[in-house]
Amino acid sequence: MRHPAICHQAVVEAFLAARGIRPQFVFRTEGNEALLAMVRAGLGAALAPRLAVLRHDESLALHELTPGLPPREIFLLWQAGRTHSPLAAHAIELARTAAADLAG
């Protein structure tokens, strides 16, 4: 199972192909929860970005790719000169903290 050919998918597939790995993809979805629910139900394994998986999800066995993929860039965008609501400012801070945690 995997995500559809969006975002970083071409990089992931090139990474695998360069190592002679040709997985059989049988399902594609943009919905992270659908993908993870299928793995939890024992319907297969999945290649998923770290941001799609909760760090403390004990129902899943996480396996890092070795060697790791090159880091991908994720951007926060908002209209220039706009004042953020308290909720938006909090969401931005959470995203920055999560990115710093993932960077390690």
Side-chain angles (χ1 to χ4, degrees):
M1 290 178 271
R2 71 164 191 155
H3 287 279
I6 57 172
C7 301
H8 213 60
Q9 193 63 40
V11 174
V12 172
E13 290 185 20
F15 173 88
L16 295 172
R19 287 153 181 82
I21 301 168
R22 289 173 179 63
Q24 180 183 1
F25 296 115
V26 296
F27 183 76
R28 297 174 192 250
T29 181
E30 292 179 21
N32 292 331
E33 268 311 310
L35 186 73
L36 297 176
M38 293 178 79
V39 172
R40 285 185 194 103
L43 298 174
L47 290 172
R50 166 61 76 185
L51 291 174
V53 182
L54 298 174
R55 287 182 169 235
H56 304 293
D57 188 337
E58 295 180 11
S59 66
L60 299 171
L62 303 179
H63 305 277
E64 298 286 337
L65 294 177
T66 304
L69 287 162
R72 67 181 181 158
E73 294 179 319
I74 299 174
F75 299 90
L76 291 174
L77 304 171
W78 54 80
Q79 187 178 24
R82 184 171 179 158
T83 301
H84 300 293
S85 69
L87 180 58
H90 184 65
I92 291 166
E93 185 55 35
L94 287 174
R96 287 179 172 156
T97 300
D101 289 349
L102 289 171

